[in-house]
Amino acid sequence: MSKMKSVKIDRRSFLKMLGWGGAGTALAGCDLPTTVTLEEGKEEVVSYLMPEEYVIPGIGVWYASTCLQCDAGCGLHGRVREGRVLKLEGNPDSPINHGKTCMMGQAGVQAHYNPDRVTSPMLRKNGTLQAVSWDEALSELNGRLGAVSGDRFAMVTGTVSGHQAVLVSALMEQMGSSNHFAHETINARVWRQVCEDMLGDPMPRLRLDKAQVILSFGADFLGTWLSPVHMATEYAKFRSAPRGMLVQIEPKMTLTGGNADLWLPARPGTEGALALGIANFVIERGWNKVNVTPNVRRALAEYDLPKVEEITGIPVSKIKRIASLLSERSPALVLAGASAAGFEDGYESVAAAMLLNIIVGAVGETIEASAQFPEAALLARQGSTADLIKFAKGLENKAFDVVLFANTNPVYTAPEALGLEKGLAEVGFKVAMTQFPDETAMLADLVLPLASPLEDWGTHVAAYQAGGDPVISVQQPLMEPIHKDVRGFGDVMLGLLKARNKEFEQFADYYAYLKTAMLNMPGLADKDNKNDAAWNNLLQKGLLSAKPAKGKLSIKAHTVEVAGYQHSKEYPLHLVPSARLGLWDGRHANIPWLQEAPDQIAKVVWDSWAELHPKTAHELGVKNGDIIRVSSASGSIETQVYIHKGVHPDVVAVPMGQGHTAYGRYAKNRGANPLKVLNPITDKKTGELATHATRVKVSKVPRKNILVKMGGSETQMGRPLVRTVSADQFRRTEGEG
Amino acid sequence: MQFANRTSLNNAAAVSIRRLQAKLVQCGKPFYLLMALAVMALLPLTAMAELPVPSHITPPPGEHEGEHVPQPIEFPHDRHVKDMKINCMYCHTYARRSKVAGIPPTSKCMGCHKVIATDRPRIQKLTEYWEKGESPRWKKVHDVPDYVHFTHEKHIRKFVFDADFPVEDVQQVCGVCHGEVREMTVAEKKKPLNMGFCRRCHEANGGPGDCWKCHK
Amino acid sequence: MSFKNILENFSKYRRGAEEGGHHEYEHRWGMAIDLNLCIGCNACSTACYAENNLAVVGKDKFEKGQAMHWMRIERYWDDADAGRDFPEQGALFLPMLCQQCGAATCEPVCPVAATYHTPDGLNAQVYNRCIGSRYCNNNCPFRVRYFNFWSYYESSWPEPLNMQLNPDLSVRDKGVMEKCTFCVQRIRTAKDKAQRENRAIVDGEFQTACAQACPTGAIVFGDTMDPNSRVTKLWQEHEVERGPYTSKKPKQNAELRGYRIFEELNVDPSIMYLERVRETEV
């Protein structure tokens, strides 16, 4: 080794030395499957410059990292061969996903290798975005940032945690601005608020595994709620003998609903009344495990069952049955998700569900205090739609001169009625840090291309900690950037900070910053880091656990007031913008695998659709594939009809994710975006967008589509393909697990 | 089995640390940057006219008149193998550990050529690459189709290590498929490497006959 | 291997299956899929795309039934829903993939012996041998064989998406039939490793991509000839045995959940499903 070329070690030249740093150079030893050739000299072979001992061409090496396809924070192992990442699996050490992944996690590689990435900085000149160098881009940006003062600067991100959150806070501090907005359309903001107010803990741990019955008001915990992969692993325990029972109340069948033992659609927005009715009946029968104050008792007494049936449309007999299940099958767990929370009184509905939890004794049994990560600065700054609305208000008031977007696409997700595009037109300088040419980037004055999550460094603290000691999960690059002109989010942020605060100059780059920061975290075994042992161990494991800041649950049951049901003549139906595990809020619409993966319930691919109950479809005179126009007071969309019974007759459900006007070849001009036509109604308590509150009317458009979906038949046609067995027999033969 | 342990260190299930060393492949259509997938192993060292065939191998009949493939650096196998008596596996070090034999990393070339023959034009060209931090784009000479799973490691194990064949004579084993590389400057394909050639050898030497052993 | 040889092997394996199991198997890979745990989330299916270089065909070709999903999740509505306003008992999800039948109906009809039975008990598809007659597809009761009606290399993997392709298996071109292989490349890697280390394969040391991804652990993969493997134990627990349908009672113990789809066709599937559990009292 003494004869080897000695090279100064900074990160980039280090990598360059080890691998292939030269501009545009290629690499090493790939046997990329292509067409077949036996001709001599037609293919090129490039060797390593100087490989690590353990790298052998032809043999995969696994690296630990973190999944960023949603904000649940699952740990990953990535298989790397010849410098390319080929496959992602879950990290078995992660308490969040236990080595498992969801379809979006699996598709992370297609986001990374996406053919429609932004590959160089672009600056708007004479009205069009033109490629420029990073030097030019950053000098323009720094100039603009230097000229803006305090709150006139705003930053919009998605959920951000770990050391990226630290850098975002630091930049906001340097800029003297308090206008950081974290925006996520799919969130559990209302649930968190209710938990905080009624239990004293915003993110309590939910013990699905301990529950014998789960009553879920629209919480799609297997698909899109809180931490889906983790919930699915817990669900497996819940379903093992003696097998808990799942009751799902929601206006449109979600993935979780598809797995329920009892699935019922209440009239949209009346989930709160149903929960109160159940609570009332439980107390009436003396089945409650916890007593409530006379105040609460009196308020509950309003909800006698005939009245609840009238409000919700759920027959008294069913309500009684659900109530008795909650007491028979103790311990119970009651959850509430988007379809309960997405109304003006959404907070109250979720609170009603929580009240039920308290009454049936779930708190302390199936709901436990959270074990949060102890470093407050690293905790997730969780996205919400309330932040989006605040941001839109600011735009309306012309409050911002410079706006910096990072890894978020509000121009796509914001309802038309918020006037985001119009407001943004008035902003002097808009910067989009992004991997893809999304709708927000298309309106920006400066686009900064980010490295993909598989090319970048980071740390992540999941908002929902899965139990045991809380963890911070490390994201390390699985390969060198595909495009040489992209930069990591942390590196860009650090660069902006260095220009404003000399103290940051001690860090050559974000890697150096992160390494220093992590090695100084409490809980690391070896701070001395001899020969990089501690650091290497950390990277190899992919996560670090810490002694938790233990929460404590303190019950504060209070009265809940939910609104009654209002009929509307002009807009008779409710629009449900349903969330899909797959395209999510639209961010994965550019991933071909996820476009081609059939929706779990409707089985439709590559397009949008509107789910209608057969009764509603009959009234409207439409059939599968007919095009309908769905109009709200805020606008209209057109899409094809898919008829099935898993939807309330008063509902038209259109999934989120399609209807992009940009975002690359797979996403652009495909389907419709239901978020666009939502009315700007908010939850009174939290200010969250009331996503399910928009009333619509539906009209037939004289056009027809072929509904492209998987599977020819909707039923088994009498063939015993999926056989079933009764739960009693299952318990008898497979016992107590 | 002395290599088994070493190989197991690099098994596919071991989660390895640190960032990635290898930069990626930019694959333009005409160049599929294949590393030494198939073969570039080569060999001889005894200065005899005919390369002897090891007695434990029944070589399959079959010859091929390979084209001369121009390489970025005209690497003289004859000089290294015949004159300097360097073992094939000194440079093609992955052959015993992986499906691919591997083009040696440039660092390996520079290990010697930092000081040896630095006045020669080819070495100066190599040094230029090294200093730029690039590797030459070699042209692949020995190739098998995409649907074939061929692994050097198993063949070397069977015919060298398990057979107690002297490692210093390994070029005789390599030569069964790669011909007399010690007489070549840049490598040329001298054996057909088609299915008939493989099958004849498998039949004569007791190799597996199941389709999925070799087809993928 | 001569054509005569192939025919003889066919007969040997098929006869073996009818006699209650071929005894010269080296391994017999099998699965147990618990429909009580399957949530229909598509993780397995997407993992399969990632592992096995499956082409994305796009909307138009999907409509024509040309999608290449080796592992697909069927969703059925309950027949009983016909009389109800709502599907009150949820949907029925069924992961459907090649059942690697012991007496596969696809094998004997191939005119060129491109599909055959391996000593591992798998229905192999040799891509370079396939001439695209599609007889096998027509003869498969499970509809789990997928034909490349087009060449997808350019359309499915525009650069740099092609860099994700798994080099351990080929990209199939136009005119070739393809199907689930139980991730034979993973099997091969594990066998090579075990051989190198002079030991037997340990149950669980590798899994198929679908089993590894499955968040609920509904899919269990392993060697049904290894008496200690999880999959063998599950088969035993549910009293499901290999071999022809006619030789034993339809179901030894009606109380147990194990069954094989289309077992009555006497194809000897290698996948045991466990019945979905339903609450009767709601």
Side-chain angles (χ1 to χ4, degrees):
Chain A
M1 294 293 284
S2 58
K3 288 182 188 167
M4 296 234 174
K5 185 173 172 171
S6 88
V7 181
K8 282 189 291 305
I9 310 283
D10 70 49
R11 172 187 168 225
R12 290 191 190 281
S13 59
F14 185 58
L15 280 176
K16 195 184 270 187
M17 172 186 84
L18 292 172
W20 277 76
T25 356
L27 79 26
C30 106
D31 56 336
L32 191 58
T34 54
T35 44
V36 168
T37 170
L38 276 167
E39 295 161 300
E40 296 140 60
K42 294 294 189 216
E43 296 184 356
E44 286 193 355
V45 190
V46 184
S47 61
Y48 286 93
L49 201 55
M50 188 166 139
E52 277 282 346
E53 181 81 11
Y54 56 80
V55 168
I56 297 182
I59 294 180
V61 181
W62 294 82
Y63 296 82
S65 193
T66 303
C67 183
L68 264 69
Q69 294 286 84
C70 78
D71 54 19
C74 295
L76 285 185
H77 280 174
R79 179 186 180 224
V80 178
R81 249 189 75 175
E82 281 89 74
R84 296 178 289 136
V85 53
L86 299 175
K87 181 77 167 61
L88 303 175
E89 304 288 1
N91 180 350
D93 290 335
S94 168
I96 296 173
N97 57 319
H98 301 284
K100 301 303 187 180
T101 47
C102 70
M103 62 190 298
M104 302 196 303
Q106 284 292 335
V109 280
Q110 282 212 325
H112 165 68
Y113 289 118
N114 202 283
D116 298 312
R117 296 259 307 263
V118 184
T119 55
S120 84
M122 291 189 290
L123 184 62
R124 194 171 293 278
K125 292 177 179 171
N126 306 323
T128 56
L129 286 169
Q130 294 174 13
V132 293
S133 69
W134 272 95
D135 285 349
E136 187 179 345
L138 289 178
S139 91
E140 176 75 24
L141 176 55
N142 276 318
R144 296 284 186 160
L145 289 178
V148 67
S149 60
D151 282 338
R152 304 292 299 170
F153 169 74
M155 184 158 180
V156 187
T157 66
T159 291
V160 57
S161 73
H163 292 92
Q164 298 81 255
V166 176
L167 292 191
V168 170
S169 307
L171 183 66
M172 299 313 290
E173 194 184 315
Q174 291 298 326
M175 295 299 298
S177 166
S178 55
N179 287 322
H180 170 215
F181 304 99
H183 163 51
E184 293 284 346
T185 303
I186 298 176
N187 67 55
R189 173 80 184 85
V190 178
W191 171 262
R192 271 160 43 214
Q193 190 67 50
V194 168
C195 290
E196 177 151 18
D197 293 350
M198 295 178 76
L199 306 177
D201 185 336
M203 202 56 112
R205 176 152 191 238
L206 306 171
R207 297 295 303 265
L208 272 64
D209 56 332
K210 277 169 97 181
Q212 286 307 309
V213 57
I214 295 175
L215 170 59
S216 162
F217 294 97
D220 181 17
F221 57 86
L222 295 177
T224 55
W225 194 65
L226 286 186
S227 190
V229 178
H230 176 71
M231 296 286 176
T233 61
E234 296 280 291
Y235 171 88
K237 297 179 203 159
F238 163 73
R239 285 302 207 187
S240 299
R243 193 178 189 271
M245 185 167 165
L246 173 61
V247 180
Q248 185 89 0
I249 314 285
E250 60 192 4
K252 169 249 170 326
M253 185 177 278
T254 58
L255 176 59
T256 311
N259 286 288
D261 294 298
L262 177 61
W263 182 87
L264 288 173
R267 200 169 271 142
T270 63
E271 284 84 352
L274 182 59
L276 295 175
I278 296 170
N280 183 29
F281 189 70
V282 166
I283 293 178
E284 234 171 55
R285 289 292 162 103
W287 293 335
N288 52 317
K289 301 240 164 63
V290 172
N291 286 321
V292 292
T293 60
N295 251 354
V296 174
R297 180 71 201 93
R298 262 196 307 279
L300 282 179
E302 307 260 312
Y303 291 89
D304 62 86
L305 293 194
K307 179 179 164 188
V308 174
E309 172 173 343
E310 196 192 316
I311 298 173
T312 62
I314 306 273
V316 169
S317 59
K318 294 268 190 222
I319 303 174
K320 282 185 176 165
R321 184 75 195 106
I322 295 169
S324 64
L325 280 173
L326 288 179
S327 57
E328 280 166 24
R329 303 261 180 127
S330 175
L333 175 62
V334 184
L335 308 173
S339 60
F343 291 88
E344 234 178 324
D345 60 345
Y347 175 89
E348 301 292 327
S349 289
V350 176
M354 194 57 70
L355 189 59
L356 196 50
N357 268 324
I358 294 169
I359 289 170
V360 299
V363 181
E365 281 272 352
T366 53
I367 302 181
E368 291 177 354
S370 64
Q372 281 305 332
F373 198 76
E375 306 295 320
L378 300 177
L379 294 180
R381 170 86 158 81
Q382 295 175 69
S384 65
T385 47
D387 266 25
L388 175 70
I389 291 166
K390 266 190 252 161
F391 173 64
K393 283 261 154 59
L395 287 179
E396 201 181 317
N397 299 330
K398 304 198 184 356
F400 313 123
D401 294 329
V402 175
V403 178
L404 179 56
F405 297 97
N407 286 321
T408 185
N409 186 13
V411 174
Y412 168 81
T413 48
E416 205 70 59
L418 292 183
L420 211 66
E421 283 191 46
K422 216 173 96 212
L424 279 173
E426 306 282 321
V427 173
F429 196 65
K430 302 168 288 284
V431 189
M433 294 163 70
T434 181
Q435 296 173 63
F436 304 109
D438 58 32
E439 285 81 354
T440 305
M442 292 300 97
L443 289 185
D445 301 297
L446 176 65
V447 179
L448 299 177
L450 290 185
S452 87
L454 304 185
E455 299 164 341
D456 201 4
W457 287 96
T459 52
H460 302 273
V461 179
Y464 184 81
Q465 288 290 340
D469 286 341
V471 293
I472 183 167
S473 189
V474 180
Q475 170 201 356
Q476 71 170 325
L478 300 178
M479 64 186 281
E480 278 286 282
I482 304 169
H483 308 288
K484 62 181 172 25
D485 233 6
V486 300
R487 290 193 185 174
F489 173 75
D491 282 323
V492 178
M493 293 298 287
L494 198 63
L496 296 177
L497 281 163
K498 280 183 189 177
R500 279 158 190 83
N501 183 342
K502 296 266 172 270
E503 278 177 37
F504 284 95
E505 280 177 6
Q506 60 176 302
F507 304 109
D509 52 19
Y510 187 51
Y511 169 71
Y513 168 85
L514 207 63
K515 187 172 170 184
T516 311
M518 287 304 285
L519 288 173
N520 283 293
M521 285 256 291
L524 252 189
D526 180 9
K527 274 193 206 171
D528 297 338
N529 192 33
K530 285 206 184 83
N531 301 324
D532 262 357
W535 177 239
N536 286 344
N537 282 342
L538 173 64
L539 296 185
Q540 190 164 4
K541 189 148 191 263
L543 44 89
L544 173 71
S545 53
K547 283 278 154 276
K550 201 77 178 161
K552 221 180 108 202
L553 297 183
S554 54
I555 299 177
K556 273 175 262 153
H558 55 69
T559 54
V560 172
E561 276 175 43
V562 294
Y565 187 79
Q566 306 290 327
H567 289 277
S568 163
K569 273 235 164 68
E570 192 188 353
Y571 295 106
L573 299 179
H574 291 258
L575 174 61
V576 170
S578 49
R580 286 174 72 182
L581 174 63
L583 301 191
W584 206 246
D585 60 0
R587 73 182 63 175
H588 298 319
N590 60 349
I591 296 180
W593 289 340
L594 299 182
Q595 284 281 5
E596 186 131 322
D599 176 70
Q600 291 89 351
I601 299 296
K603 292 287 161 192
V604 181
V605 296
W606 287 104
D607 205 343
S608 289
W609 64 95
E611 289 172 35
L612 288 177
H613 192 272
K615 218 167 92 187
T616 321
H618 180 75
E619 281 164 18
L620 290 164
V622 291
K623 294 198 172 64
N624 272 347
D626 284 354
I627 308 285
I628 54 168
R629 181 178 298 123
V630 180
S631 318
S632 74
S634 305
S636 68
I637 50 172
E638 289 180 9
T639 189
Q640 55 184 349
V641 169
Y642 173 63
I643 301 168
H644 71 117
K645 287 183 174 179
V647 59
H648 192 280
D650 291 345
V651 159
V652 49
V654 182
M656 293 186 227
Q658 307 281 22
H660 282 274
T661 55
Y663 212 42
R665 69 193 77 179
Y666 299 109
K668 193 176 176 181
N669 299 333
R670 183 179 294 289
N673 180 2
L675 295 169
K676 281 291 154 206
V677 302
L678 296 187
N679 294 333
I681 306 167
T682 55
D683 170 46
K684 275 185 259 173
K685 177 89 175 189
T686 61
E688 275 294 289
L689 183 66
T691 48
H692 287 52
T694 299
R695 307 293 288 251
V696 291
K697 60 185 171 194
V698 167
S699 53
K700 200 173 157 181
V701 174
R703 272 187 295 126
K704 201 170 160 45
N705 218 353
I706 294 171
L707 188 70
V708 181
K709 60 190 281 291
M710 197 197 91
S713 61
E714 297 279 313
T715 70
Q716 305 188 69
M717 308 289 206
R719 299 166 299 175
L721 302 177
V722 183
R723 297 189 199 175
T724 56
V725 65
S726 79
D728 292 342
Q729 182 179 317
F730 173 68
R731 290 186 189 107
R732 199 160 58 239
T733 53
E734 296 184 38
E736 298 294 305
Chain B
M1 293 304 285
Q2 58 172 328
F3 296 108
N5 289 333
R6 195 178 293 180
T7 309
S8 66
L9 285 180
N10 296 285
N11 68 65
V15 175
S16 203
I17 45 171
R18 318 238 325 219
R19 348 189 210 141
L20 240 230
Q21 295 64 29
K23 160 100 191 188
L24 52 113
V25 207
Q26 311 235 328
C27 296
K29 187 71 203 308
F31 344 90
Y32 303 122
L33 305 162
L34 293 221
M35 173 117 180
L37 184 207
V39 202
M40 290 213 64
L42 342 169
L43 11 153
L45 40 94
T46 30
M48 293 175 2
E50 278 279 298
L51 185 69
V53 171
S55 57
H56 64 299
I57 303 179
T58 311
E63 298 300 324
H64 176 86
E65 198 44 59
E67 299 160 28
H68 175 75
V69 177
Q71 300 285 2
I73 297 175
E74 200 175 54
F75 178 82
H77 282 91
D78 48 1
R79 183 94 183 103
H80 289 82
V81 180
K82 195 162 66 181
D83 302 348
M84 310 314 294
K85 304 201 181 341
I86 297 172
N87 190 292
C88 307
M89 293 201 299
Y90 178 76
C91 296
H92 298 288
T93 170
Y94 303 120
R96 62 183 180 232
R97 294 189 284 176
S98 175
K99 57 191 277 197
V100 300
I103 301 289
T106 315
S107 57
K108 184 146 246 161
C109 309
M110 292 308 291
C112 295
H113 287 294
K114 223 124 201 218
V115 291
I116 297 173
T118 50
D119 55 333
R120 310 289 165 80
R122 288 176 198 152
I123 303 304
Q124 284 164 353
K125 202 167 171 190
L126 175 73
T127 310
E128 229 173 84
Y129 275 111
W130 173 246
E131 283 172 352
K132 276 192 290 183
E134 290 175 21
S135 277
R137 290 169 166 245
W138 303 102
K139 301 284 184 198
K140 197 167 179 177
V141 174
H142 296 92
D143 197 4
V144 290
D146 196 32
Y147 49 74
V148 174
H149 170 77
F150 173 85
T151 161
H152 279 85
E153 184 261 327
K154 282 191 163 187
H155 289 86
I156 302 269
R157 180 147 41 90
K158 175 174 168 74
F159 291 116
V160 181
F161 299 120
D162 286 359
D164 282 331
F165 186 77
V167 175
E168 57 272 24
D169 293 336
V170 73
Q171 84 283 0
Q172 298 174 13
V173 177
C174 305
V176 173
C177 299
H178 292 291
E180 213 157 331
V181 178
R182 63 178 176 174
E183 300 297 340
M184 306 173 192
T185 53
V186 302
E188 284 173 15
K189 187 173 163 185
K190 292 295 180 194
K191 301 285 178 182
L193 301 189
N194 53 18
M195 184 163 158
F197 184 77
C198 295
R199 281 299 307 149
R200 286 194 290 278
C201 191
H202 274 222
E203 272 165 24
N205 296 289
D210 182 47
C211 308
W212 256 9
K213 277 280 190 295
C214 306
H215 284 297
K216 60 178 190 178
Chain C
M1 190 188 280
S2 67
F3 194 62
K4 182 167 153 268
N5 250 340
I6 290 168
L7 290 177
E8 275 169 11
N9 276 345
F10 268 170
S11 320
K12 197 169 80 180
Y13 283 124
R14 286 195 58 79
R15 201 166 45 244
E18 278 154 28
E19 284 163 4
H22 192 277
H23 303 294
E24 286 165 38
Y25 283 112
E26 292 166 17
H27 300 277
R28 242 185 142 177
W29 306 107
M31 273 188 186
I33 300 181
D34 191 343
L35 300 180
N36 181 39
L37 297 181
C38 174
I39 55 171
C41 70
N42 273 347
C44 52
S45 175
T46 312
C48 185
Y49 271 77
E51 174 72 21
N52 289 308
N53 300 342
L54 301 191
V56 164
V57 301
K59 190 179 178 185
D60 296 345
K61 298 191 175 81
F62 200 109
E63 192 260 320
K64 296 184 173 71
Q66 296 173 4
M68 308 299 284
H69 36 44
W70 288 4
M71 164 60 113
R72 60 175 198 258
I73 307 278
E74 299 280 2
R75 186 271 298 121
Y76 297 114
W77 297 115
D78 202 317
D79 288 325
D81 290 343
R84 300 178 182 141
D85 282 344
F86 304 112
E88 289 186 3
Q89 291 194 288
L92 298 164
F93 296 107
L94 179 68
M96 184 43 75
L97 64 163
C98 174
Q99 310 281 311
Q100 311 289 355
C101 305
T105 49
C106 53
E107 288 169 8
V109 296
C110 179
V112 293
T115 180
Y116 77 104
H117 214 68
T118 75
D120 277 9
L122 301 175
N123 308 127
Q125 181 73 20
V126 183
Y127 303 128
N128 50 310
R129 202 168 176 111
C130 175
I131 58 164
S133 75
R134 292 188 275 146
Y135 291 174
C136 55
N137 189 24
N138 282 331
N139 224 29
C140 171
F142 301 94
R143 279 289 177 265
V144 288
R145 292 182 150 266
Y146 301 93
F147 186 65
N148 285 275
F149 284 91
W150 309 86
S151 189
Y152 297 110
Y153 183 72
E154 312 261 327
S155 64
S156 184
W157 295 282
E159 284 177 35
L161 271 179
N162 57 347
M163 288 163 91
Q164 185 273 329
L165 290 168
N166 186 352
D168 293 341
L169 68 165
S170 38
V171 175
R172 286 75 59 185
D173 209 342
K174 182 160 74 177
V176 171
M177 187 62 72
E178 61 180 67
K179 61 176 269 294
C180 165
T181 62
F182 269 7
C183 288
V184 67
Q185 65 280 7
R186 292 186 177 206
I187 296 177
R188 193 181 279 139
T189 305
K191 279 165 92 172
D192 285 357
K193 188 174 168 233
Q195 194 189 24
R196 210 154 50 221
E197 294 169 6
N198 218 349
R199 59 170 174 85
I201 289 180
V202 181
D203 185 46
E205 77 171 274
F206 77 102
Q207 295 174 73
T208 57
C210 51
Q212 188 165 3
C214 178
T216 58
I219 305 173
V220 175
F221 168 83
D223 185 355
T224 54
M225 281 177 62
D226 171 358
N228 296 313
S229 69
R230 267 186 77 204
V231 73
T232 306
K233 288 187 173 147
L234 278 167
W235 279 58
Q236 282 168 352
E237 225 171 84
H238 292 276
E239 293 176 24
V240 174
E241 281 164 27
R242 306 228 42 151
Y245 182 70
T246 43
S247 73
K248 62 188 183 86
K249 291 178 213 94
K251 201 164 186 192
Q252 310 236 338
N253 186 342
E255 288 269 281
L256 299 176
R257 291 197 293 138
Y259 71 102
R260 294 187 291 169
I261 292 177
F262 294 152
E263 196 175 23
E264 63 276 18
L265 300 179
N266 218 359
V267 290
D268 189 17
S270 296
I271 298 179
M272 173 187 73
Y273 289 87
L274 298 177
E275 289 170 349
R276 186 184 166 123
V277 179
R278 281 204 146 157
E279 294 286 348
T280 38
E281 37 164 343
V282 293

